């Protein structure tokens, strides 16, 4: 089945058309600057030169969806003859609260529940909802499925999702750990079991999704049992610009000492912290930090070493939570590409049965094992593919409903 994957932000819309039977990407692209003027459209046809880029004004999301549908159905440069060839649309939705435990077929009722979750992700969910509405307008007869960043973590046990605050705040306001990057953790843990040649039900994996945003998840038998991001994506390990977990009293101290407002301090913790802040505002890009680290730059060494240490601590904690792990898998921009990061982390885990194969780590490509064959805990580097995960989940939902 051909599934159109839509990842809709407030001013941009990323799309990808995937043939799920063969797992081939047919085309992909981006509508930029929606609603703010100076719009730009990108359309790339995989394995062909039919793609193009052009400036297009997108006054709203409807125009963006209209433009991409015209592009994919265009008689000259398109990839399908008719919009009816697109079997379904899979929408990425950031927050499903505790309402959605899996990808869900979108009905009017489901739309209202997604809308209810908007106060948990006020920057993301409204844009995701707009994407669904625009697609429904342009393709009213096509099945739509919502795939949630949070759903994979709905399997967390109470002991992992509760915070040590009065229980009434969980009951009244739903303050709890949700976890994010669910599509990636789900996809990568399945790929890990597949590479190991084992049934996912029997595998305990720690997935390290290390990109600009980053989270680590303990996956037991295909189910998330703990994850480093929390009520929001600010929690957990140090990230490109986000602080990760810290003593909540620090927020109070920063407001008092800097004279900044609470909102300003929260902005600093989201956008000026993490590796960027620790390096003295050098960069949030791990390649820049690593290059400076190699030249002996003190600020870069401070930031990089702290980043590595926090990752090691989470992996250790999740080994304990899982009662021992079979595999540690690195994914996303840094996890997939930075052999030095993987080496520094794994060297510190030697005492826990992790033995890296330096040659496979440095020189290999793509999804592969990077530990020695007799390492007690196997280590993998596996590219994540959130869009493929959305497309495959979309088909699964439709199959269950006998709609595919
Ligand atoms: P996000 O999707 O959260 O924006 P990505 O998964 O694209 O993030 O990861 C971005 C990060 O990956 C950046 O910090 C970047 O420096 C890092 N990265 C990309 N390529 C490499 C590489 N070859 N070596 C080290 N880090 C890399």
């Amino acid at each position: 089945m051909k599934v159109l994957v839509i990842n809709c932000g407030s001013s941009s819309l990323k799309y990808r058309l995937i043939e799920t039977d063969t797992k081939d990407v047919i085309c992909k692209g981006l509508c930029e600057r929606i609603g703010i003027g100076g719009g730009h459209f990108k359309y790339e046809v995989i394995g062909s030169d039919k793609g193009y880029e052009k400036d297009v004004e997108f006054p709203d999301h409807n125009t963006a969806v209209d433009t991409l549908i015209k592009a994919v159905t265009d008689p000259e440069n398109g990839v399908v003859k008719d919009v009816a060839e697109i079997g379904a649309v899979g929408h990425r939705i950031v927050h499903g609260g505790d309402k959605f435990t899996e990808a869900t077929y979108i009905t009017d009722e489901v739309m209202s529940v997604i809308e209810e979750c908007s106060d948990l992700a006020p920057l993301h969910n409204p844009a995701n909802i707009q994407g669904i509405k625009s697609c429904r307008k342009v393709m009213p007869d096509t099945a739509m499925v919502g795939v949630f960043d949070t759903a994979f973590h709905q399997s967390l046990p109470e002991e992992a999702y509760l915070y040590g605050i009065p229980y009434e705040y969980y009951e009244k306001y739903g303050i709890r750990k949700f976890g994010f990057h669910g599509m990636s953790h789900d996809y990568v843990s399945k790929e890990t079991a597949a590479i190991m040649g084992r049934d996912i039900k029997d595998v305990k994996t720690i997935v390290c999704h290390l990109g600009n945003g980053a989270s680590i998840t303990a996956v037991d038998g295909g189910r998330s049992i703990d994850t480093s991001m929390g009520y929001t994506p600010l929690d957990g390990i140090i990230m490109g610009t986000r602080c990760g977990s810290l003593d909540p009293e620090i927020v109070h101290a920063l407001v008092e000492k800097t004279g900044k407002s609470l909102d300003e301090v929260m902005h600093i913790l989201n956008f000026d912290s993490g590796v960027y802040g620790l390096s003295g505002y050098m960069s949030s890009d791990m390649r820049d930090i690593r290059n400076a680290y190699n030249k002996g730059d003190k600020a870069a060494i401070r930031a990089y070493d702290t980043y590595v240490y926090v990752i090691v601590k989470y992996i250790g904690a999740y080994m304990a939570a899982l009662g021992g792990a079979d595999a540690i898998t690195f994914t996303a921009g840094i996890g997939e590409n930075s052999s030095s990061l993987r080496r520094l982390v794994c060297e510190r885990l030697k005492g826990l049965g992790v033995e890296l194969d330096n040659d496979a780590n440095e020189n290999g490509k793509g999804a592969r094992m990077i530990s020695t064959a007799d390492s007690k805990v196997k280590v993998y580097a596996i590219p994540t593919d959130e869009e493929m995960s959305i497309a495959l989940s979309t088909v699964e939902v439709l199959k269950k409903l006998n709609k595919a």
Side-chain angles (χ1 to χ4, degrees), residues 67-360:
T67 305
L68 85 87
I69 292 298
K70 280 199 178 113
V72 299
T73 55
D74 179 61
E76 202 181 324
N77 294 309
V79 288
V80 292
K81 286 199 183 70
D82 189 278
V83 75
E85 275 184 51
I86 300 173
V89 184
H91 291 273
R92 179 197 196 153
I93 301 170
V94 168
H95 221 307
D98 54 7
K99 306 280 194 291
F100 296 99
T101 55
E102 57 188 0
T104 304
Y105 185 75
I106 299 175
T107 59
D108 289 344
E109 207 185 333
V110 167
M111 279 293 273
S112 354
V113 184
I114 299 172
E115 273 164 10
E116 279 170 31
C117 297
S118 278
D119 64 331
L120 289 165
L123 296 179
H124 296 103
N125 271 34
N128 303 155
I129 292 164
Q130 187 53 53
I132 301 172
K133 286 185 177 160
S134 298
C135 285
R136 283 177 132 192
K137 216 170 235 161
V138 178
M139 337 166 51
D141 301 323
T142 311
M144 310 263 163
V145 170
V147 186
F148 302 86
D149 269 81
T150 48
F152 183 60
H153 302 298
Q154 278 298 304
S155 51
L156 254 54
E158 190 181 61
E159 63 187 20
Y161 71 67
L162 284 181
Y163 290 108
I165 57 173
Y167 188 65
E168 62 170 316
Y169 298 136
Y170 165 65
E171 289 181 304
K172 273 194 208 153
Y173 311 122
I175 307 281
R176 53 160 286 172
K177 176 178 281 202
F178 287 107
F180 297 85
H181 292 138
M183 273 99 64
S184 176
H185 290 295
D186 183 14
Y187 178 82
V188 171
S189 55
K190 282 179 181 147
E191 289 290 300
T192 302
I195 292 193
M196 294 176 97
R198 289 175 60 179
D199 187 334
I200 190 155
K201 290 203 176 67
D202 305 325
V203 181
K204 295 178 180 193
T205 309
I206 296 169
V207 179
C208 305
H209 177 110
L210 308 176
N212 265 324
S215 65
I216 301 185
T217 296
V219 184
D220 190 353
R223 291 164 64 80
S224 168
I225 62 141
D226 205 349
T227 189
S228 60
M229 281 181 170
Y231 180 63
T232 73
L234 187 56
D235 197 7
I237 66 167
I238 289 170
M239 297 171 232
T241 64
R242 286 177 234 162
C243 59
S245 305
L246 42 77
D247 176 351
E249 198 60 50
I250 292 170
V251 177
H252 189 205
L254 284 177
V255 169
E256 231 168 54
K257 289 179 195 297
T258 62
K260 294 186 192 296
S261 69
L262 179 59
D263 279 354
E264 285 169 330
V265 166
M266 290 315 296
H267 190 273
I268 290 170
L269 299 180
N270 272 290
F271 299 102
D272 296 330
S273 298
V275 167
Y276 175 61
L278 270 171
S279 65
Y281 311 120
M282 180 188 294
S283 175
S284 64
D285 190 308
M286 208 45 97
R287 284 166 290 202
D288 299 337
I289 300 291
R290 182 65 199 168
N291 288 340
Y293 178 99
N294 286 342
K295 290 183 188 135
D297 183 282
K298 281 205 176 85
I301 292 171
R302 175 175 71 215
Y304 205 64
D305 284 351
T306 312
Y307 181 68
V308 168
Y309 180 65
V310 174
I311 294 171
V312 167
K313 274 205 297 188
Y314 266 95
I315 293 176
Y318 288 167
M319 278 189 171
L322 286 164
D326 300 303
I328 298 168
T329 304
F330 290 92
T331 192
I334 301 164
E336 288 165 30
N337 295 304
S338 178
S339 56
S340 65
L341 184 275
R342 296 189 302 249
R343 178 169 45 75
L344 290 173
V345 168
C346 290
E347 270 170 4
R348 298 189 71 145
L349 294 167
K350 263 190 179 162
L352 296 175
V354 174
E355 198 66 54
L356 202 65
D357 175 336
N358 284 320
D359 185 43

Side-chain angles (χ1 to χ4, degrees), residues 24-42:
D24 285 324
V25 178
I26 301 168
C27 68
K28 63 178 183 178
L30 178 63
C31 306
E32 286 174 297
R33 300 187 60 87
I34 301 169
I36 51 176
H40 192 71
F41 179 66
K42 285 186 190 162

